[in-house]
Amino acid sequence: MDKATVIGMVLGTAAIIIGIFLGGSILGFIDPPSIFIVIGGTISVLLISFPMNDIKSLIKIMKNAFLDNQKSMKETIELLVQLSERARKEGILAIEKVLEDIDDAFLSSGLRLAVDGSDPEAIKESMEIELQNIETRHKRGQQILDTGGAMAPAFGMIGTLIGLVNMLKTMSDPSSIGPSMAIALLTTFYGAVMANLIFIPLNTKLQGITAREVNQKELIIDGVIGIQGGDNPRMLRAKLETYLPPSLREKE
Amino acid sequence: MDKATVIGMVLGTAAIIIGIFLGGSILGFIDPPSIFIVIGGTISVLLISFPMNDIKSLIKIMKNAFLDNQKSMKETIELLVQLSERARKEGILAIEKVLEDIDDAFLSSGLRLAVDGSDPEAIKESMEIELQNIETRHKRGQQILDTGGAMAPAFGMIGTLIGLVNMLKTMSDPSSIGPSMAIALLTTFYGAVMANLIFIPLNTKLQGITAREVNQKELIIDGVIGIQGGDNPRMLRAKLETYLPPSLREKE
Amino acid sequence: MDKATVIGMVLGTAAIIIGIFLGGSILGFIDPPSIFIVIGGTISVLLISFPMNDIKSLIKIMKNAFLDNQKSMKETIELLVQLSERARKEGILAIEKVLEDIDDAFLSSGLRLAVDGSDPEAIKESMEIELQNIETRHKRGQQILDTGGAMAPAFGMIGTLIGLVNMLKTMSDPSSIGPSMAIALLTTFYGAVMANLIFIPLNTKLQGITAREVNQKELIIDGVIGIQGGDNPRMLRAKLETYLPPSLREKE
Amino acid sequence: MDKATVIGMVLGTAAIIIGIFLGGSILGFIDPPSIFIVIGGTISVLLISFPMNDIKSLIKIMKNAFLDNQKSMKETIELLVQLSERARKEGILAIEKVLEDIDDAFLSSGLRLAVDGSDPEAIKESMEIELQNIETRHKRGQQILDTGGAMAPAFGMIGTLIGLVNMLKTMSDPSSIGPSMAIALLTTFYGAVMANLIFIPLNTKLQGITAREVNQKELIIDGVIGIQGGDNPRMLRAKLETYLPPSLREKE
Amino acid sequence: MDKATVIGMVLGTAAIIIGIFLGGSILGFIDPPSIFIVIGGTISVLLISFPMNDIKSLIKIMKNAFLDNQKSMKETIELLVQLSERARKEGILAIEKVLEDIDDAFLSSGLRLAVDGSDPEAIKESMEIELQNIETRHKRGQQILDTGGAMAPAFGMIGTLIGLVNMLKTMSDPSSIGPSMAIALLTTFYGAVMANLIFIPLNTKLQGITAREVNQKELIIDGVIGIQGGDNPRMLRAKLETYLPPSLREKE
């Protein structure tokens, strides 16, 4: 799991909780009806706006993102160069035996096409359509997080308006104004925290994840085409390493 | 009808009503003049901004969207492959007999052109102009929902300003300040609910609907061209299935 | 004149006036100095930002827009087809006699070029430069309305700040706070009404008008080229009707 | 100098001053520390954000803009046509004698290249690089005005927050609350006036100036190429007049 | 170090501190828990949103930016012309001896490729990939500063909401309202200062730095290609000087 993300989430929550403790008690910030308005309202807009499948797909994407089981670019290049060496020595069909050991579904399905003898153009097209599908799914996920980040504060404000109207209608006892107003403000607080500590940072993170995943898949496409074409492994490595920052490239 | 949308609308309304009930009475939130200012103002701006036809067209588009009578991509592919098989065995003219059974107007008008012997380029151009017309209509619909989502809060604020000015002008009796201010805030509340529970989510939903409809129509264009060209049904299926996510494709 | 626009303007004004009447008197909402700050400020920024010619040109464009003396697409097609029939029977020079009866300056100047024997490329280029000039003028008009829609609320806020500072400086008599604050809020009210009932809807409307006018002018260019080229009138009609939604096309 | 701009600036300042006078005294709106926070803060951000050269360059651009010593498009065309007539009759070298009388540096340096016998491609490329440099400088100027328009209100708000905190800390004497709060609001007032009466309108104006200047320079490039190529002066005029709106073109 | 930036930072800080001093004491503006909420919250969102490497890379970029050890465009041109003269007289291999004296890593690695005899296309491609890597790193840095500029005010508002709720809950002693509210507003103040005096101006500055660095690297690429191709040094200078504003070009 991505350490910086965990540290960030813990630190962010801590900053808010400590801020609360220093001036009052945490209990004063928990109000179930207010939580219901903000979370219920935000979820309801997501349900209206997006098909169920897109929402489920986002949850899956985010889970993968946190598990961070993505191979590093460097390891992927090593794997592709090894496969290229094998294919060169023992022929492309030798790849078939190791297909089962490859746990990247995108790479193994590309290699299967190569082993089956499809022509390079067809392999490339097929892999690129796959890549586009992944991008489209991620983009929809970003739209959902975007909508969440806009709706949580909106329902926070709606909740505060409800609280204010209720308070003002029955403003007979001045001593009750303070606590009523405090509760009215809680929905705005919940909305701001949900948007700024959850939806907006996860959206930024997902953008970065998408960029890296697309980059890695493009590397794999170049690698598979090179393996099928019987490229010299040393040349293939040089070509694939242009995807790395200079400091990570193999010194010759 | 789309289940998630209904659940979302019910949940959203429930969140707001329960929020109101817990702190006061629902009656305190119904003020006909305030409703008139916000709804009247929003409708008036829509009437100034858009021709009547565009507004009527939007209502029709949204109704279709909720009835969700659109065939799934998978069913559409099945239908196109069946038609291709028939055209291959019995000739393209055999399609004419089943034209009446096809309830998708876009597909049947495309097939009629094919049966009438128009050349593929002309069929494609004619169907694409049709598709563009649909996109333009949807885009105008999105503009209307966009304007509604901006104008409802604007007239909410105008209504609150009217209420505040009226209240402040006659601020002789301090005990009446609370209730007057409560009513002034109601228009802001109405505007926020209209924008965030109706206009903005329907706009997002319409964007998704447009993307799916355009995708399906492009599939149909590819299918009709394939049927007319006498493509091998198995090849046609493979080509059309690139429109599906891999998990839904027919395993060979 | 465009009925929906008139209804919208009347309804919008009514919504605001009725809202005022129900809680106070219309007189309480008229404060000449406040009107001067908001309208004066907005006009002053428009004068600084745009050359006088652009502002005059916008007024002319909007006037035409409301008179709505634009021929419908359908009528324009009929006229072009008639002219094409005449040109085919009696020769292109026969068009010259009817040029004076055509009240669309863009069409008649295009036809004059055709009658004078300019080659099609030159006619098209000349008409397209004209069309581009029209688009540029409209776009500048949209910028002006855009600026107005941003500046009216800005000067509304500036006026309210002036009112608040003046009120707070001399806050000796608590009973005068209410009315002073009411007047301070009036500029914000004026700014919001000017932006949301005038500038923003007229801007949206102008966008629609521009789109339709450009579309119609493109139709006319295609028509004039067809007439000069001696196209078959039936073919010309079919070509021009692709500009119409299917429901309005002539059934064969 | 551009009359509308001067009228706009006078009117805008008048609207604000009259608004102040009607409800209080102008002295109540002058508070040196508040002025220092807003102007100092805005200038400090501009110094951090942009290199000194860009800021100096903006001041020069704006000064030229107000002096409005730019030749009108029509005059420029007349000049280019005259030069073309002379070059045709007396040869391109005759232009050299009048080079000193031409006060447009862009035009005279272009003509010098033509007189020196550079080939048309080289002249065009050299003049276009020059034009691009001008555009880049103007664009940076727009960024500076943009930043100013965002920072003035931001430091206005920071100043108000400082004033509020100071006031609230020492809220012993209720009668002093009003005047303290008035002073706190002054920075917000200064920021709003600076942004909406200076930075934002000058930015819009600069955009218009850039568009016109680029257009005029493109006209000059076409003119110089035509003069060097020995174009027929009547043809050259017709070509250059497509830059004018139809109403300003020479009737034949 | 860039003088204007330092002056800007000192002036901005001074404007705020003097503003505070004139109405109260600087101690009243230091509240450790408030500082913890705003800085902690902003840092936590940056940790969630971006991988650690990108954040470290931004710090390095900004440090270089302030040290301003970048050669001026003019010096870079002089150096390239000198190298070109040497390469022309003594052959390209003579460059190898001076490679160690060149402290610009981008230039020296490009020259090494030239000395090693790579063909111009390969040198160009390799240097452009390098340039793209630099741009990508800078763009990520801009995203981080952008997020910081949005999150600081957001956590400022969250902190103020926490303070307000705590204050309102225990509003028994009216005399404590003022100071409590002052502390609640401090987080908003911190957020506004952090965004407007640090994140936003540094982001604008970084944009300018990126533009200049890309421009300089493109100049170097052109220069290296020219040196390898054995261009005439005078011609090379003329070509490279198109990167300079006219006033800085060598007069012939």
Side-chain angles (χ1 to χ4, degrees):
Chain A
M1 198 173 182
D2 188 345
K3 242 169 57 188
T5 309
V6 183
I7 296 175
M9 291 217 145
V10 170
L11 176 59
T13 315
I16 289 170
I17 290 179
I18 291 174
I20 291 173
F21 260 123
L22 286 168
S25 88
I26 200 82
L27 277 174
F29 280 79
I30 296 174
D31 183 53
S34 302
I35 294 175
F36 181 64
I37 292 177
V38 179
I39 296 192
T42 305
I43 291 178
S44 73
V45 171
L46 294 181
L47 288 173
I48 299 174
S49 306
F50 301 98
M52 212 53 189
N53 278 339
D54 288 5
I55 298 175
K56 277 184 206 150
S57 166
L58 170 66
I59 293 168
K60 219 169 91 192
I61 292 169
M62 294 313 301
K63 214 161 59 189
N64 286 343
F66 282 104
L67 291 177
D68 199 17
N69 55 9
Q70 211 188 352
K71 269 207 174 50
S72 78
M73 295 294 276
K74 199 142 181 55
E75 285 174 85
T76 309
I77 292 177
E78 290 311 320
L79 178 59
L80 288 165
V81 171
Q82 278 172 29
L83 288 166
S84 137
E85 280 162 357
R86 184 157 198 157
R88 260 219 143 177
K89 277 191 224 133
E90 312 174 22
I92 184 92
L93 294 177
I95 300 290
E96 195 161 19
K97 295 173 225 156
V98 291
L99 271 185
E100 277 167 30
D101 303 337
I102 296 171
D103 48 8
D104 183 316
F106 184 77
L107 171 54
S108 69
S109 80
L111 287 172
R112 176 157 301 286
L113 286 172
V115 169
D116 289 355
S118 306
D119 66 300
E121 273 318 296
I123 297 178
K124 203 172 177 180
E125 202 189 311
S126 162
M127 290 181 89
E128 275 171 356
I129 289 176
E130 214 64 34
L131 177 53
Q132 234 169 16
N133 283 337
I134 293 171
E135 269 190 277
T136 308
R137 271 202 302 279
H138 280 216
K139 207 146 271 174
R140 279 191 207 145
Q142 286 175 27
Q143 274 190 324
I144 295 174
L145 293 171
D146 215 46
T147 302
M151 281 305 132
F155 278 90
M157 196 191 78
I158 288 175
T160 296
L161 285 168
I162 292 175
L164 282 178
V165 171
N166 274 334
M167 180 193 89
L168 290 163
K169 289 257 169 205
T170 58
M171 211 169 69
S172 50
D173 175 14
S175 76
S176 75
I177 293 181
S180 301
M181 184 118 179
I183 290 176
L185 283 180
L186 276 183
T187 53
T188 295
F189 170 72
Y190 295 149
V193 171
M194 272 174 69
N196 293 300
L197 203 56
I198 302 178
F199 287 117
I200 296 174
L202 289 188
N203 194 0
T204 315
K205 183 163 205 68
L206 183 51
Q207 275 175 39
I209 288 168
T210 305
R212 270 191 301 280
E213 191 164 339
V214 166
N215 208 19
Q216 196 208 26
K217 297 275 187 274
E218 282 169 348
L219 169 80
I220 290 176
I221 294 177
D222 274 10
V224 170
I225 298 298
I227 290 169
Q228 200 215 27
D231 282 12
N232 174 322
R234 228 175 54 89
M235 301 283 280
L236 184 65
R237 176 190 296 280
K239 194 171 147 200
L240 297 182
E241 281 188 343
T242 59
Y243 282 92
L244 293 179
S247 55
L248 289 180
R249 290 179 201 161
E250 190 124 306
K251 299 291 174 267
E252 287 172 64
Chain B
M1 198 173 181
D2 188 343
K3 243 169 57 188
T5 309
V6 183
I7 295 175
M9 292 217 145
V10 171
L11 176 59
T13 315
I16 289 170
I17 290 179
I18 290 174
I20 290 173
F21 261 124
L22 286 168
S25 89
I26 200 83
L27 276 175
F29 280 79
I30 296 174
D31 183 51
S34 302
I35 295 175
F36 181 66
I37 292 177
V38 180
I39 298 191
T42 306
I43 291 178
S44 73
V45 171
L46 294 182
L47 287 172
I48 299 173
S49 306
F50 301 98
M52 213 52 191
N53 279 339
D54 288 5
I55 298 176
K56 278 185 204 151
S57 166
L58 170 66
I59 294 168
K60 220 169 92 191
I61 292 169
M62 294 312 301
K63 215 161 59 187
N64 285 345
F66 282 103
L67 291 177
D68 200 16
N69 54 11
Q70 211 187 354
K71 269 207 175 50
S72 78
M73 295 293 276
K74 199 142 180 57
E75 286 173 88
T76 308
I77 292 176
E78 290 312 319
L79 179 59
L80 287 166
V81 171
Q82 277 172 31
L83 287 166
S84 137
E85 280 161 358
R86 185 158 198 157
R88 259 220 144 177
K89 278 193 222 132
E90 311 175 22
I92 184 90
L93 294 177
I95 299 289
E96 194 161 21
K97 294 174 226 155
V98 292
L99 271 185
E100 278 167 29
D101 303 337
I102 295 170
D103 48 9
D104 183 317
F106 184 76
L107 172 55
S108 69
S109 80
L111 287 172
R112 176 157 302 284
L113 287 172
V115 169
D116 289 356
S118 307
D119 66 302
E121 274 317 296
I123 297 177
K124 204 172 177 181
E125 201 190 312
S126 162
M127 291 181 88
E128 275 171 356
I129 288 175
E130 213 66 33
L131 178 53
Q132 234 169 17
N133 283 337
I134 293 171
E135 268 189 278
T136 307
R137 271 202 301 278
H138 280 216
K139 207 147 272 175
R140 279 192 207 146
Q142 285 175 29
Q143 274 190 325
I144 295 174
L145 292 171
D146 215 46
T147 303
M151 282 304 133
F155 278 89
M157 196 191 78
I158 288 175
T160 296
L161 284 169
I162 292 175
L164 283 178
V165 171
N166 274 334
M167 182 193 88
L168 289 164
K169 289 256 168 203
T170 58
M171 210 170 69
S172 50
D173 175 14
S175 75
S176 75
I177 293 181
S180 300
M181 183 118 179
I183 290 177
L185 282 180
L186 276 183
T187 53
T188 295
F189 170 72
Y190 294 149
V193 171
M194 272 174 69
N196 293 300
L197 203 57
I198 301 179
F199 287 116
I200 296 174
L202 288 188
N203 194 0
T204 315
K205 184 164 203 68
L206 183 50
Q207 274 175 39
I209 288 168
T210 305
R212 270 191 300 281
E213 192 164 338
V214 166
N215 208 20
Q216 196 208 27
K217 297 275 187 275
E218 282 169 348
L219 170 81
I220 290 175
I221 295 176
D222 274 9
V224 169
I225 299 298
I227 290 169
Q228 200 215 27
D231 282 11
N232 175 322
R234 228 173 55 89
M235 301 282 280
L236 184 65
R237 176 190 296 279
K239 194 170 145 200
L240 298 182
E241 280 188 344
T242 58
Y243 283 92
L244 293 179
S247 56
L248 289 179
R249 290 180 201 161
E250 190 125 304
K251 299 290 174 270
E252 287 173 64
Chain C
M1 198 173 180
D2 188 343
K3 243 170 57 189
T5 308
V6 183
I7 295 174
M9 291 218 144
V10 171
L11 176 59
T13 316
I16 289 170
I17 290 179
I18 291 174
I20 291 173
F21 261 123
L22 286 168
S25 88
I26 200 83
L27 276 175
F29 281 79
I30 296 173
D31 183 52
S34 302
I35 295 175
F36 181 65
I37 292 177
V38 180
I39 297 192
T42 307
I43 291 178
S44 73
V45 171
L46 294 182
L47 287 173
I48 299 173
S49 306
F50 301 99
M52 213 53 190
N53 278 338
D54 288 4
I55 299 176
K56 277 184 204 151
S57 166
L58 170 66
I59 293 168
K60 219 170 92 191
I61 292 169
M62 294 312 302
K63 213 161 63 188
N64 285 344
F66 282 103
L67 291 177
D68 200 17
N69 54 10
Q70 210 188 355
K71 270 207 174 47
S72 78
M73 296 294 276
K74 201 143 178 54
E75 286 174 88
T76 309
I77 293 177
E78 289 313 319
L79 178 59
L80 287 166
V81 171
Q82 277 173 31
L83 288 167
S84 137
E85 280 161 357
R86 184 158 198 157
R88 260 219 143 180
K89 277 193 225 133
E90 312 174 22
I92 185 90
L93 295 177
I95 300 290
E96 194 162 20
K97 295 174 225 154
V98 292
L99 271 185
E100 279 169 28
D101 302 337
I102 295 170
D103 48 9
D104 184 315
F106 184 76
L107 172 54
S108 68
S109 80
L111 287 172
R112 176 156 301 284
L113 287 172
V115 169
D116 289 356
S118 308
D119 67 300
E121 273 318 295
I123 297 178
K124 205 172 176 180
E125 204 190 310
S126 161
M127 291 181 89
E128 275 171 357
I129 288 176
E130 214 64 35
L131 177 53
Q132 233 169 17
N133 282 337
I134 294 171
E135 269 190 278
T136 306
R137 271 202 301 280
H138 280 216
K139 207 146 272 173
R140 278 192 207 146
Q142 286 175 29
Q143 274 190 325
I144 295 174
L145 292 171
D146 216 46
T147 302
M151 282 304 133
F155 279 89
M157 196 191 78
I158 288 175
T160 295
L161 284 168
I162 293 176
L164 282 178
V165 171
N166 274 335
M167 181 193 87
L168 289 164
K169 290 255 169 205
T170 58
M171 210 169 70
S172 51
D173 174 16
S175 75
S176 76
I177 293 182
S180 300
M181 182 119 179
I183 289 176
L185 283 180
L186 276 183
T187 53
T188 295
F189 171 72
Y190 294 148
V193 171
M194 271 174 70
N196 293 300
L197 204 57
I198 301 179
F199 287 116
I200 297 174
L202 288 187
N203 195 359
T204 316
K205 184 164 204 67
L206 183 51
Q207 275 176 38
I209 287 167
T210 305
R212 270 191 301 280
E213 191 163 338
V214 166
N215 208 19
Q216 196 209 25
K217 296 277 187 273
E218 281 169 348
L219 169 81
I220 290 176
I221 294 176
D222 274 9
V224 169
I225 299 297
I227 289 169
Q228 200 215 28
D231 282 10
N232 176 322
R234 228 175 55 90
M235 301 284 279
L236 184 66
R237 175 190 297 280
K239 195 172 146 201
L240 298 182
E241 281 187 344
T242 58
Y243 283 92
L244 294 179
S247 56
L248 289 181
R249 289 178 202 162
E250 191 124 304
K251 298 289 175 268
E252 287 173 62
Chain D
M1 197 172 181
D2 187 344
K3 241 168 61 189
T5 309
V6 183
I7 296 175
M9 291 218 144
V10 171
L11 176 58
T13 315
I16 289 170
I17 291 179
I18 291 174
I20 290 173
F21 261 123
L22 286 168
S25 87
I26 200 82
L27 276 175
F29 281 79
I30 296 174
D31 183 51
S34 302
I35 295 175
F36 180 65
I37 293 177
V38 180
I39 297 191
T42 306
I43 290 178
S44 73
V45 171
L46 294 182
L47 287 173
I48 300 173
S49 306
F50 301 99
M52 212 55 190
N53 278 339
D54 289 5
I55 298 177
K56 278 185 205 152
S57 165
L58 170 66
I59 294 170
K60 218 170 93 190
I61 292 169
M62 294 312 302
K63 213 162 60 186
N64 285 344
F66 282 103
L67 291 176
D68 201 16
N69 54 10
Q70 209 187 356
K71 270 209 173 49
S72 78
M73 295 294 276
K74 202 144 178 52
E75 286 173 86
T76 309
I77 292 176
E78 289 312 320
L79 178 59
L80 288 165
V81 171
Q82 277 172 31
L83 289 166
S84 137
E85 280 162 358
R86 185 159 198 155
R88 261 218 142 181
K89 276 192 226 133
E90 313 174 22
I92 184 89
L93 294 177
I95 299 290
E96 196 162 19
K97 295 174 226 155
V98 292
L99 271 185
E100 278 169 29
D101 303 336
I102 295 171
D103 48 9
D104 184 317
F106 184 76
L107 172 54
S108 68
S109 80
L111 287 173
R112 176 156 301 284
L113 287 172
V115 169
D116 289 355
S118 306
D119 67 300
E121 274 319 295
I123 297 178
K124 204 172 178 179
E125 204 190 309
S126 162
M127 291 180 89
E128 275 171 357
I129 288 176
E130 213 64 35
L131 177 53
Q132 235 169 17
N133 283 337
I134 294 171
E135 268 190 279
T136 307
R137 272 203 302 278
H138 281 217
K139 207 147 271 172
R140 279 193 208 146
Q142 285 174 29
Q143 275 191 324
I144 295 174
L145 292 171
D146 216 46
T147 301
M151 281 305 133
F155 278 89
M157 196 191 78
I158 287 174
T160 296
L161 284 168
I162 292 175
L164 282 178
V165 170
N166 274 335
M167 180 193 90
L168 289 163
K169 289 256 168 202
T170 58
M171 209 170 68
S172 50
D173 175 14
S175 75
S176 76
I177 293 181
S180 300
M181 182 120 181
I183 289 176
L185 283 179
L186 276 183
T187 53
T188 296
F189 170 73
Y190 295 147
V193 171
M194 271 173 69
N196 293 299
L197 203 58
I198 301 179
F199 287 116
I200 297 175
L202 288 188
N203 194 0
T204 315
K205 183 162 205 70
L206 183 51
Q207 274 175 39
I209 288 167
T210 305
R212 269 191 302 280
E213 191 163 340
V214 166
N215 208 19
Q216 196 208 25
K217 297 275 188 275
E218 281 169 349
L219 169 81
I220 289 175
I221 294 177
D222 274 10
V224 169
I225 299 298
I227 290 168
Q228 200 214 28
D231 282 11
N232 175 322
R234 229 175 54 89
M235 300 284 278
L236 184 66
R237 176 190 296 281
K239 194 171 145 201
L240 299 182
E241 281 189 344
T242 59
Y243 282 92
L244 294 179
S247 55
L248 290 180
R249 289 178 202 161
E250 190 125 303
K251 297 291 174 267
E252 286 173 64
Chain E
M1 198 173 182
D2 188 344
K3 241 169 58 187
T5 309
V6 183
I7 296 175
M9 291 217 144
V10 171
L11 176 59
T13 315
I16 289 171
I17 290 179
I18 291 174
I20 291 173
F21 260 123
L22 286 168
S25 88
I26 201 82
L27 275 175
F29 281 79
I30 296 174
D31 183 52
S34 303
I35 294 174
F36 180 65
I37 292 177
V38 179
I39 297 192
T42 306
I43 290 179
S44 74
V45 171
L46 294 182
L47 287 173
I48 300 173
S49 306
F50 301 98
M52 213 53 190
N53 278 338
D54 289 5
I55 298 176
K56 277 184 206 151
S57 165
L58 170 66
I59 293 168
K60 218 170 92 192
I61 292 169
M62 294 312 301
K63 213 161 61 188
N64 285 342
F66 282 104
L67 291 177
D68 200 17
N69 54 10
Q70 211 188 352
K71 270 209 174 49
S72 78
M73 295 294 276
K74 199 141 181 54
E75 286 173 89
T76 310
I77 293 177
E78 290 312 320
L79 178 59
L80 288 166
V81 172
Q82 278 171 29
L83 288 166
S84 137
E85 280 161 357
R86 183 157 199 160
R88 260 217 142 180
K89 278 192 223 132
E90 314 173 23
I92 185 90
L93 294 177
I95 300 289
E96 196 162 19
K97 295 173 226 153
V98 292
L99 270 185
E100 276 168 30
D101 303 336
I102 295 172
D103 48 8
D104 184 317
F106 185 75
L107 171 55
S108 69
S109 80
L111 286 172
R112 175 156 303 284
L113 287 172
V115 169
D116 289 355
S118 306
D119 67 299
E121 273 319 295
I123 297 177
K124 202 171 179 181
E125 203 190 310
S126 162
M127 291 181 88
E128 275 171 357
I129 288 176
E130 214 64 34
L131 177 54
Q132 234 168 16
N133 283 337
I134 294 171
E135 269 189 279
T136 307
R137 271 202 301 279
H138 281 216
K139 207 146 271 173
R140 279 192 207 145
Q142 286 174 29
Q143 275 190 325
I144 295 174
L145 292 171
D146 215 45
T147 302
M151 281 304 132
F155 278 89
M157 196 191 78
I158 288 175
T160 296
L161 284 168
I162 292 175
L164 283 177
V165 170
N166 274 333
M167 180 192 90
L168 290 163
K169 289 256 168 204
T170 58
M171 209 169 69
S172 50
D173 174 14
S175 74
S176 75
I177 293 182
S180 300
M181 183 120 180
I183 290 176
L185 283 180
L186 276 184
T187 52
T188 295
F189 170 73
Y190 295 148
V193 171
M194 272 174 68
N196 293 300
L197 203 57
I198 301 179
F199 287 117
I200 297 176
L202 288 188
N203 195 359
T204 315
K205 183 162 206 70
L206 183 51
Q207 274 176 39
I209 288 167
T210 306
R212 269 191 301 279
E213 191 164 338
V214 166
N215 208 19
Q216 196 208 25
K217 296 275 188 275
E218 281 169 349
L219 170 81
I220 290 176
I221 295 176
D222 275 10
V224 169
I225 298 297
I227 290 168
Q228 199 214 28
D231 283 11
N232 176 321
R234 228 175 55 90
M235 301 284 279
L236 184 66
R237 176 190 297 280
K239 194 170 148 202
L240 297 182
E241 281 188 342
T242 59
Y243 282 93
L244 294 179
S247 55
L248 290 181
R249 289 179 202 161
E250 189 124 305
K251 297 292 174 267
E252 286 172 64

